[in-house]
Amino acid sequence: MFRRTALASSLFAAAVSAQQAGTLTAETHPSLPAQVCTASGCTSQSTKIVLDSNWRWLHDSTGTNCYTGNEWDATLCPDAATCASNCALDGADYAGTYGITTSGNAMTMKFVTDGQYSTNIGSRVYLMKDDSTYQKIPLLNQEFTFDVDVSNLPCGLNGALYFSDMSTDGGMSAYPTNKAGAKYGTGYCDAQCPQDIKFIDGKANVEGWAPSASDKNAGTGDMGTCCSEMDIWEANSVSTAYTPHPCTVDGQTMCTGTDCGAGDDRYSGVCDKDGCDFNSYRMGNTTFYGEGKTIDTSKKFTVVTQFITNDGTATGTLSQIKRKYVQGGTVIENSMSDFAGIDASNSISDAFCDQQKTVFGDTNDFKTKGGLARMGERLGDGMVLVMSIWDDHAADLLWLDSDYPTDADATKPGIARGTCATSSGVPADVEAQSPGASVTYSNIKWGSIGSTFAS
């Protein structure tokens, strides 16, 4: 939803992405094996992870920073093309610099990592098929399952696992000036059309670059990068939501101006930034998710998301997105919605979204951008798995875990989203008070309906 605009690292005073490939640090992708399942069983895949290019050190051939703090070097980056030619991004020390570790089929992402040369805040990684290709996962008439431990994620932090309609090579074949590609985590996009990405379509985002007033490592340029996004999991120990975000464009698409949907143009852009979310607390069940609740967030649990089509085939139209949980060996169905005017439901459908938007008084941009059918078109083609941990410089994550908007009546349907205080989530506070926060994702599986978990 209102998010992912100020993810940053202060590595060598730079939180950046680039399109040239550097040679100062070897890039070694940590192993994170996933499984593909059928009714006959599951088969392990030799998948890996790669760090997003926006976190990597960006430098010229002598090791001089191309970007420092939240500003470009005017000599090395006077324009988009020159910057792409001058600057390279390098390999990553996943554990030492970014706090990302893997063990077997599990990955832990730390929030703040104090490295030898830097303090890193948050991170984002992608699942890879091999060292130069992101894993593409088709989801129509399929289910996706993973285990998660959010016990160490307090208010204001988001452990997000989701799908992005990215190119599997990171845009390398489409844009000749991109010499780094998926090996170095390039080509990101999502439905927020983020304008803080340093390189888009092989060009530096230097035109119109404005340093952030609240984030010493981030800024925004004239270009954004848009694509459909399926939020499987946005959560901390207090609240969770899953949300489809359809866009009218296919795949990663650069935007400028109105198409990016920034500010007052939110509903004039090419993507549905709000999406249609199912947050159990927001839907009226305040005892379902949280520490000691039905889904006890003090312990690890399994999240199952099923993508149901109208005809039960992988070529049908997406008609429903269902959620189940497994904890302590028990399968737990998602909570039911509990508001007058919304039919009792524990899944996302077009009818649910229409009713929810009406009752909550929200703009139904989900329907305008094509709803589930449009989302299904992109899911059927296959999307790239993204995993991250971050805080929110735009809205303090209150849209997920508190009352939002903060000046609205919290008793009004759709305003209360969790038990966090409306004063919580300020990034400076979260970073100072919860530097040791972390999330662990594990046991990733996808396959035919009912094949990825013991029912």
Side-chain angles (χ1 to χ4, degrees), residues 32 35 62 80 96 127 192 195 202 231 260 316 347 361 380 383 411 446:
L32 186 66
Q35 296 183 70
T62 69
L127 192 69
Q192 303 305 311
Q195 293 175 255
D231 289 330
C260 295
S347 65
M383 298 176 78
T411 64
W446 64 89

Side-chain angles (χ1 to χ4, degrees), residues 13 18 29 39 49 70 74 180 197 247 349 392 404 407 448:
H29 299 129
I49 57 166
N70 55 16
I197 305 302
C247 299
S349 65
D392 181 7
Y404 193 85
D407 58 355
S448 54

Side-chain angles (χ1 to χ4, degrees), residues 77-114:
C77 294
D79 57 69
T82 302
C83 192
S85 176
N86 284 338
C87 301
L89 61 85
D90 238 303
D93 178 354
Y94 283 76
T97 299
Y98 301 101
I100 300 169
T101 56
T102 61
S103 177
N105 66 16
M107 174 183 65
T108 297
M109 307 178 81
K110 290 180 62 179
F111 177 46
V112 177
T113 303
D114 291 317

Side-chain angles (χ1 to χ4, degrees), residues 330-363:
T330 300
V331 177
I332 304 169
E333 298 293 334
N334 193 28
S335 62
M336 302 294 289
S337 57
D338 189 19
F339 281 112
I342 303 176
D343 295 339
S345 174
N346 64 354
S347 65
I348 293 175
S349 65
D350 282 331
F352 164 81
C353 295
D354 288 345
Q355 292 175 351
Q356 184 215 57
K357 299 288 187 181
T358 298
V359 172
F360 290 176
D362 293 338
T363 299

Side-chain angles (χ1 to χ4, degrees), residues 219-230:
T220 55
D222 286 346
M223 295 189 294
T225 178
C226 310
C227 66
S228 295
E229 169 188 359
M230 178 63 225

Side-chain angles (χ1 to χ4, degrees), residues 59 84 250 338 398 452:
H59 58 82
D250 291 346
D338 189 19
L398 302 177
T452 66

